[in-house]
Amino acid sequence: MTQTHEPRPLPTDRSSPFDPPEELIRLGSRRPVSRIVYADGSIGWLVTGHAEAQAVLGDGRFSARKELVRLPVPWLGHMERVPAGPGEFIFMDPPEHARFRKLLAGYFTMRRMRQFIPRVEEIAQQRLDAMEEAGQPCDLMKVFAYPIPSLAICELVGMPYAEAGVMHDEITRMFSFDSPPEETRAAAAAIHRMLYELLLRKRAKPADDIMSELVISGQLSVEEILRVASLLLIGGFDNTANMIGLGVYALLQHPEQLALLRAQPELVESAVEELMRYVPSLHIGPIRAALEDVELGGESIRAGEVLTLSLSAANRDERRFEEPDRLDIMRTATRQLAFGYGVHQCIGQTLARIEMQVAHAALLRRFPTMRLAIPGDEVPMRENIVPYGPRLLPVVWGMRYDHQSSGARRRSGRHAGRPCALGTLRHRHRGRARPVPAGAAVAPRCAPGPARAPAHGRWRHDHRSPAPGHR
């Protein structure tokens, strides 16, 4: 295939919060591999086809090494091309990458994550209580979507909930496109200090969590442990939270799909897969560099050239999905690429799926009449930060609510103990969360009191169970 168009910058302007930029949709399967101009002025490639994106992610001839890739958009604090630091395994290729993946996969097996379901359910119920305590309208992102994955990953890694708010602030500062290099470095240094102090505490008094296990095992250096813990927390804090928020927002804007899920809660698993296909939270990348000449989608990719994959466009490829621009929670969307593919596929995807399934099922049971408190097209989105999602999502529930009336408040009845839509989940939840203080700064700070300790021995490696997605 011969390229006849002039390379242009990566399209980023959306006409809808759920759809990829229109130019990406136009390229789609008609031109699944095309030229673009990168932020530093170099010419590289954009991959919008599903088969082509999957091929890149599954082919060892395309590298994830940090010093080889370029950024398709201006990202002030991340423009330097430097090698990955110790433990930054997501920017490594095999065999270096495999050393970390093999060690960490044992903490995220399907068996172990299923054992964690009751705790995720309990967190979800506490956050629903917190929504009722906060009153209406309630910012679902702050009170519900962020705390569920944040509390879960903090417990798994071993970070106290009291420190999660500061950590989240620094993560946000580090991943904003507008943060200058000195601010990005300061945020990274602050995260490093927090985790180093946590490591010292785990060394003095180990607990039943991932960081303690890594310290005790002696298989990683101090710097490697700190970077690994940082990656787990970053992924656990923001990615799943925004996928929950995007999913709820999409359902509220597609009432026929919301009604279907409410009527058939057993569809929650397929609904979560379809929501991730329809609007993935990763809106920039993944990015890879060709290690040798490769033919892809009818184009000749030369060694050293950089490719940016658009997962949102790939998940709308009409060659893979019928009527791809339609949200259909009854669709079989198991080959969607929101979690990536190949050796770098998200290591925590099983946990993330559980969190999303539990969150959607619990939310619809407690607040079946939930709706947006503002017009749908006024929901502000995170356009200049990774990952993509709503900045806030004001919702109301119960009887008809007039948001202009300060005295209006309706509360939905509690349904603790009703069977969850996930057939295996049967758990009664007692007690209420502490009221959310007015003006609380970020979601992780809206945490309930100290949770019960994890069951002893949870973090011993279980090599009998396969990891969620071989990495």
Side-chain angles (χ1 to χ4, degrees), residues 407-420:
R409 177 174 299 182
R410 297 289 184 270
R411 299 199 178 195
S412 174
R414 298 190 61 192
H415 300 283
R418 286 181 55 179
C420 177

Side-chain angles (χ1 to χ4, degrees), residues 240-357:
T240 311
N242 282 283
M243 286 192 286
I244 291 172
L246 283 168
V248 173
Y249 183 21
L251 286 172
L252 293 177
Q253 290 297 92
H254 293 79
E256 75 290 348
Q257 297 298 304
L258 179 63
L260 180 60
L261 183 57
R262 189 184 297 119
Q264 300 183 55
E266 67 275 9
L267 293 175
V268 68
E269 292 186 19
S270 64
V272 163
E273 292 300 313
E274 171 67 354
L275 289 166
M276 286 191 289
R277 181 202 70 82
Y278 187 67
V279 56
S281 63
L282 184 60
H283 59 141
I284 305 293
I287 306 171
R288 296 291 185 264
L291 297 176
E292 57 184 82
D293 293 354
V294 182
E295 292 295 319
L296 179 71
E299 301 293 344
S300 297
I301 313 299
R302 301 303 179 192
E305 291 186 321
V306 178
L307 305 90
T308 292
L309 282 58
S310 171
L311 299 186
S312 58
N315 278 347
R316 298 291 188 95
D317 189 338
E318 60 190 7
R319 297 174 301 170
R320 175 63 188 89
F321 300 103
E322 186 177 349
E323 296 185 82
D325 296 329
R326 182 170 64 90
L327 178 65
D328 178 8
I329 65 170
M330 298 188 72
R331 183 196 306 271
T332 302
T334 51
R335 288 182 62 189
Q336 56 84 18
L337 297 175
F339 286 126
Y341 181 80
V343 297
H344 284 280
Q345 195 172 27
C346 174
I347 196 168
Q349 63 177 296
T350 298
L351 174 61
R353 281 188 169 98
I354 287 171
E355 291 168 340
M356 286 184 279
Q357 291 167 12

Side-chain angles (χ1 to χ4, degrees), residues 198-211:
L198 179 62
L199 182 146
L200 293 179
R201 298 199 299 270
K202 298 299 181 183
R203 182 181 288 168
K205 189 177 180 180
D208 189 12
D209 53 58
I210 293 176
M211 181 171 274

